Amino acid sequence: MLERTRHIVFATNFSDACHSAIPAVARWVDQLQCRLTILHVYDSRRELYRDAQSRLQSFFAEADNYTNCERLLLAGEPAAAIAGFCENMRDTLLLLPPSDQAGLPRPWHRSLRAQLIARLPIPIWTLGRTSVGEPLLAVANHLAAFVSNPEEGTSHIRYGARYAAATNSTLHLIHVIPNVDEGSLTHTLRSRAPLGEEYAEAWMQEITASIEPAAKIELHMEQGSVRRLLPQLFQRTGADMLLVSRQTACEPQWLLGPVVNPIFRRVNAGILSVHLIPEITPFTKLGTLNPGFARAS
Amino acid sequence: MIVLDRIPLKRIWPFAWKRLLILLVFDCTVAVIYSVFHHHWISLNGLPVAPLASALTIFLAFRTNAAYGRWWEARSLWGSLINTSRALGRQFLTMIDDEPIAEGKMPIRKELVLNQIAFAHALRCHLRKQTPFPELACVLGEEATARLRSYANVPAAILLTIGNLLREAHSKGLIDTFRWTAIDENLTGLANIQGACERIKNTPLPRQFDYLPRVLVDVFCWLLPLAIVEDLGLMTPLASTLISFTFIAADLMSREIANPFDNTIHDTPMTALSRTIELNLREQMQNDQRPLPQPIPWPQLRDVQPVDGFVF
């Protein structure tokens, strides 16, 4: 997928996070050597075209010096407009930083990022919440991928392996083994992810053996709460980007549609959501490692 | 850099609300314990709040002054960079003699000016930890940019390139030693500006200046409701939270401006300033009395305008 990316779309609402993301955008453009479109969707009922155009022209002004850069202003509802623009461009990487922090509860908020991650069949890069206004790590030769469960497939890991091989980086596979307690019974109904440390290790080894041999791979595993351990394990890797599957990137919510998975809120990094490529089947063989998984599934 | 005449509350609120919420809960608890349950022992009426607040203000003023000093020095350094760049552009275009026109070869004086433009962009990216190469490829061309990729300190490498071009001009007889020396003094000025910017970037405010005011603000905000509850009763949370907010906001604001090269709204507007340098130098090149047979490609550039009251 990395080699297929020819076009970067940087969707912006001029938030602080969009400004924080500029160094990362510049690095993407430099690494992938592809054209850049800076996209802004404005509400024509609230703002004049002229004003929106002026803001767009001055945002990320240094991009005027990039070889292939264009600015695009669309009117309408942001999710629909961005999706409409990107839907038929399979060679595109969408960069979508979060909005400004409100510091207040937003009970009726619908996440634009989650809507687009769920809807678009292209990789989407965003930022963890805590990195808004904070400089991102500048280390470029470490990359992490979060391995959640077998149902999510290995597309993002393969993507990461190819990216790591191409950029001579180390790929760190992060897996958090769920705690085993009375609630674990429900876990096995929802997922075939291994519960024991040994099974998890065997599963991770099997994943490692199946992907790009050229990439340097390191495994990071711990048992406990994923919200608490994921930021710690990620920080230990020294990586500046976390690859996640689309299934893990957002989770459905009963009333308001999908939301960005809260486990990534404390991860100080760029987060790249990769969709499941149809030709690559989800990882199986767990039954051979632990007969309990086969029974549960 | 903020160019609005006011700072919107929503810029402060996301960083202050957690501290304020905890304080509000504490203030309400104190007010209820004192006024409803009549536990009068909780009051610290004798606490000298006013002298404490004065001492705290002095601490905050020290820190704010130190932070503002860093911010202003950063802005002054970039002002000097603009002046030195214009002076160098003029020197390159007027002090270096004509050379025989070779097919496909850019005259040294124009190459020097383009390197000067590239220096401003590279220094900005260096300070913001951003890759400069997509911009440099447009200004200097792919080949020269590829050569710069091997350097960790790209602005210093560009200064070296400028020095090498001047040596080449001297060896070709396009510039004499006096003029070379005059130009080299300005190049040293650029190296000094870069060094000073790196010093601000890499040396944080002394921890004593940064940490102590924050702790003292917290201590003051926790003691305040105990000191005023006897006089204000159930109105304590209102007064205490308002006073706490002013101190917390002052604490946050002075911390924000302490790092002027961090790509935030409090930053030195380096994108706008480097754009000014580029526009000025390209204008000088365009109006040069010795025009080129083939004009240099000129990207569509305009002055950077503030976005929502912030210029970067």
Side-chain angles (χ1 to χ4, degrees):
Chain A
M1 207 182 305
L2 170 70
E3 59 275 11
R4 275 191 253 156
T5 303
R6 298 281 176 271
H7 184 200
I8 291 174
V9 176
F10 180 18
T12 178
N13 61 354
F14 316 118
S15 66
D16 285 1
C18 289
H19 286 285
S20 300
I22 285 175
V25 177
R27 206 175 72 200
W28 277 114
V29 171
D30 189 40
Q31 271 183 359
L32 302 179
Q33 294 290 321
C34 48
R35 73 190 164 98
L36 170 69
T37 299
I38 303 171
L39 172 66
H40 174 58
V41 182
Y42 76 106
D43 185 347
S44 55
R45 290 166 302 179
R46 292 184 180 177
E47 193 177 9
L48 292 173
Y49 175 86
R50 187 187 58 214
D51 294 341
Q53 182 73 12
S54 164
R55 294 166 79 203
L56 179 62
Q57 293 297 342
S58 282
F59 174 74
F60 192 8
E62 52 264 56
D64 290 342
N65 270 330
Y66 289 11
T67 314
N68 278 314
C69 172
E70 60 179 1
R71 295 170 191 272
L72 183 64
L73 187 63
L74 299 175
E77 199 274 316
I82 296 171
F85 180 70
C86 297
E87 218 151 28
N88 297 318
M89 297 193 292
R90 296 299 173 102
D91 60 352
T92 296
L93 168 66
L94 176 60
L95 309 181
L96 201 64
S99 304
D100 280 330
Q101 293 177 52
L104 295 167
R106 296 186 295 175
W108 308 115
H109 174 69
R110 295 189 70 198
S111 168
L112 172 70
R113 290 183 295 163
Q115 285 177 60
L116 290 172
I117 287 169
R119 182 170 167 181
L120 289 174
I122 54 173
I124 296 178
W125 180 93
T126 186
L127 283 171
R129 178 182 279 190
T130 49
S131 53
V132 174
E134 294 170 17
L136 290 176
L137 289 171
V139 185
N141 52 359
H142 291 275
L143 176 73
F146 179 55
V147 186
S148 174
N149 55 56
E151 291 80 22
E152 67 179 6
T154 54
S155 291
H156 62 298
I157 306 170
R158 290 171 193 281
Y159 183 103
R162 282 200 296 274
Y163 186 96
T167 56
N168 198 23
S169 309
T170 304
L171 175 65
H172 300 264
L173 297 183
I174 297 175
H175 178 60
V176 179
I177 308 156
N179 272 325
V180 179
D181 51 29
E182 292 83 352
S184 304
L185 289 171
T186 59
H187 177 84
T188 53
L189 295 174
R190 286 182 281 113
S191 168
R192 289 183 298 147
L195 284 175
E197 276 188 38
E198 289 163 19
Y199 294 121
E201 196 171 340
W203 176 49
M204 293 289 277
Q205 294 289 358
E206 198 171 339
I207 290 175
T208 309
S210 73
I211 57 179
E212 191 83 32
K216 287 172 277 180
I217 296 173
E218 288 181 19
L219 301 180
H220 303 263
M221 280 189 296
E222 266 195 46
Q223 189 160 26
S225 156
V226 65
R227 279 192 197 203
R228 184 174 55 82
L229 287 175
L230 178 61
Q232 290 175 14
L233 289 172
F234 180 77
Q235 197 176 7
R236 215 176 289 167
T237 64
D240 61 344
M241 186 167 69
L242 179 67
L243 288 164
V244 299
S245 67
R246 185 166 67 168
Q247 288 81 352
T248 311
C250 54
E251 59 179 23
Q253 209 180 45
W254 175 64
L255 197 58
L256 297 169
V259 292
V260 174
N261 199 328
I263 63 173
F264 301 118
R265 278 185 189 159
R266 289 169 56 202
V267 177
N268 185 12
I271 296 166
L272 184 67
S273 153
V274 181
H275 72 285
L276 186 68
I277 304 170
E279 63 265 29
I280 297 171
T281 53
F283 220 74
T284 51
K285 295 187 181 179
L286 276 172
T288 58
L289 294 170
N290 179 3
F293 299 134
R295 283 200 297 276
S297 62
Chain B
M1 185 175 70
I2 304 170
V3 291
L4 286 173
D5 53 359
R6 62 190 168 80
I7 298 178
L9 186 62
K10 69 174 186 178
R11 292 280 159 187
I12 304 170
W13 182 251
F15 304 101
W17 73 272
K18 275 184 188 162
R19 284 165 83 181
L20 280 175
L21 187 66
I22 293 167
L23 285 170
L24 181 65
V25 171
F26 178 69
D27 295 347
C28 291
T29 311
V30 170
V32 168
I33 288 173
Y34 185 88
S35 304
V36 179
F37 297 107
H38 304 291
H39 286 288
H40 291 179
W41 54 267
I42 205 169
S43 166
L44 297 175
N45 196 28
L47 196 72
V49 175
L52 263 179
S54 305
L56 184 55
T57 309
I58 291 169
F59 264 108
L60 280 175
F62 268 132
R63 211 256 304 267
T64 308
N65 274 345
Y68 179 74
R70 288 164 62 85
W71 186 86
W72 183 244
E73 189 187 355
R75 180 63 189 83
S76 304
L77 286 168
W78 270 80
S80 303
L81 179 62
I82 292 182
N83 298 346
T84 313
S85 297
R86 285 175 186 150
L88 273 169
R90 175 178 47 77
Q91 287 173 329
F92 292 149
L93 291 172
T94 57
M95 285 184 171
I96 297 177
D97 293 335
D98 276 332
E99 60 193 293
I101 295 170
E103 192 63 35
K105 171 86 170 74
M106 191 186 294
I108 286 180
R109 63 178 191 280
K110 305 272 178 181
E111 213 172 327
L112 284 165
V113 178
L114 289 177
N115 271 285
Q116 179 55 37
I117 294 171
F119 175 81
H121 291 312
L123 181 59
R124 167 175 48 78
C125 293
H126 179 63
L127 294 170
R128 285 182 176 165
K129 293 190 176 358
Q130 180 177 332
T131 177
F133 299 117
E135 285 170 78
L136 298 189
C138 179
V139 177
L140 298 175
E142 294 288 351
E143 198 183 326
T145 305
R147 279 199 300 273
L148 290 170
R149 282 181 188 272
S150 58
Y151 291 89
N153 192 329
V154 179
I158 292 173
L159 285 184
L160 186 66
T161 308
I162 294 176
N164 283 330
L165 285 168
L166 285 172
R167 187 171 50 80
E168 186 187 334
H170 183 257
S171 65
K172 284 181 179 174
L174 303 175
I175 183 172
D176 60 31
T177 310
F178 288 112
R179 283 183 278 173
W180 187 8
T181 309
I183 294 174
D184 199 67
E185 275 176 21
N186 274 332
L187 287 184
T188 307
L190 288 185
N192 289 338
I193 289 170
Q194 184 190 343
C197 289
E198 285 172 346
R199 168 172 53 75
I200 294 173
K201 174 78 181 178
N202 299 329
T203 314
L205 205 62
R207 292 298 92 189
Q208 302 88 324
F209 272 36
D210 193 38
Y211 180 68
L212 204 56
R214 185 189 165 93
V215 171
L216 289 177
V217 165
D218 282 340
V219 169
F220 177 79
C221 292
W222 285 96
L223 287 177
L224 185 63
L226 304 175
I228 61 175
V229 71
E230 188 174 325
D231 295 330
L232 296 181
L234 285 172
M235 294 303 284
T236 301
L238 188 65
S240 177
T241 307
L242 272 175
I243 296 169
S244 299
F245 178 69
T246 55
F247 278 101
I248 288 171
D251 176 43
L252 286 171
M253 283 297 101
S254 62
R255 191 173 312 140
E256 291 287 343
I257 62 168
N259 299 311
F261 297 132
D262 267 359
N263 212 6
T264 67
I265 56 167
H266 311 283
D267 224 8
T268 304
M270 292 187 288
T271 306
L273 295 173
S274 54
R275 173 61 58 85
T276 303
I277 292 172
E278 178 163 13
L279 287 173
N280 287 176
L281 295 190
R282 283 191 185 275
E283 197 175 65
Q284 285 180 0
M285 270 201 295
Q286 201 177 37
N287 297 327
D288 188 10
Q289 290 182 347
R290 297 172 290 173
L292 294 170
Q294 294 289 326
I296 298 168
W298 186 314
Q300 290 292 319
L301 299 176
R302 62 193 78 76
D303 276 324
V304 178
Q305 299 298 319
V307 178
D308 297 337
F310 308 111
V311 59
F312 283 85

